[in-house]
């Protein structure tokens, strides 16, 4: 779980270029599937139709017309692949709850 917290903190760090952290469920545990730059397209490239994924993104945009102020908005979302079975889908809620204990969005 320490690697998940480190990935979250890296996304939240405004001095870091990292803008996403992706967690998947593997063998009944939450594991870091990837993190880095590239935003939604980069995170989506790491996903597949057979898994459950939790993503945390830093969406940056200029808040003013003069490009002086950059605003950060953080987005948390869940993706359940189309090939995920019913029992796995039922476990998404508890996994999300466990993750949010270490990722206080």
């Amino acid at each position: 779980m320490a690697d998940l917290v480190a990935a979250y903190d890296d996304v939240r760090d405004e001095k870091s270029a990292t803008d996403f952290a992706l967690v998947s469920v593997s063998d009944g545990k939450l594991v870091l599937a990837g993190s880095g730059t590239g935003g939604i397209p980069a995170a989506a490239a790491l996903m597949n139709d057979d898994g459950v994924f939790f993503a945390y993104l830093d969406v940056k945009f200029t808040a003013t017309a003069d490009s002086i102020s950059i605003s950060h908005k953080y987005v948390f979302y869940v993706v359940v692949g189309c090939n995920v079975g019913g029992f796995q889908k039922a476990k998404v809620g508890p996994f999300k709850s466990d993750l949010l204990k270490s990722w206080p969005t």
Side-chain angles (χ1 to χ4, degrees), residues 1-18:
M1 204 61 123
D3 58 338
L4 303 182
V5 173
Y8 170 85
D9 289 340
D10 197 26
V11 172
R12 295 286 298 192
D13 184 2
E14 292 182 7
K15 295 176 184 172
S16 172
T18 302

Side-chain angles (χ1 to χ4, degrees), residues 40-99:
I40 293 172
L46 297 173
M47 298 179 197
N48 59 54
D49 290 338
D50 300 317
V52 174
F53 300 93
F54 303 94
Y56 190 68
L57 291 155
D58 178 7
V59 180
K60 300 174 184 112
F61 62 95
T62 52
T64 60
D66 58 7
S67 301
I68 293 174
S69 177
I70 296 176
S71 181
H72 295 261
K73 299 295 179 189
Y74 298 96
V75 179
F76 174 79
Y77 66 96
V78 179
V79 175
V80 179
C82 60
N83 296 334
V84 173
F87 287 114
Q88 279 183 296
K89 287 180 184 177
K91 294 179 182 178
V92 170
F95 280 121
K96 179 181 172 186
S97 176
D98 289 344
L99 182 60

Side-chain angles (χ1 to χ4, degrees), residues 9 19 37:
D9 289 340
D19 62 2
T37 60

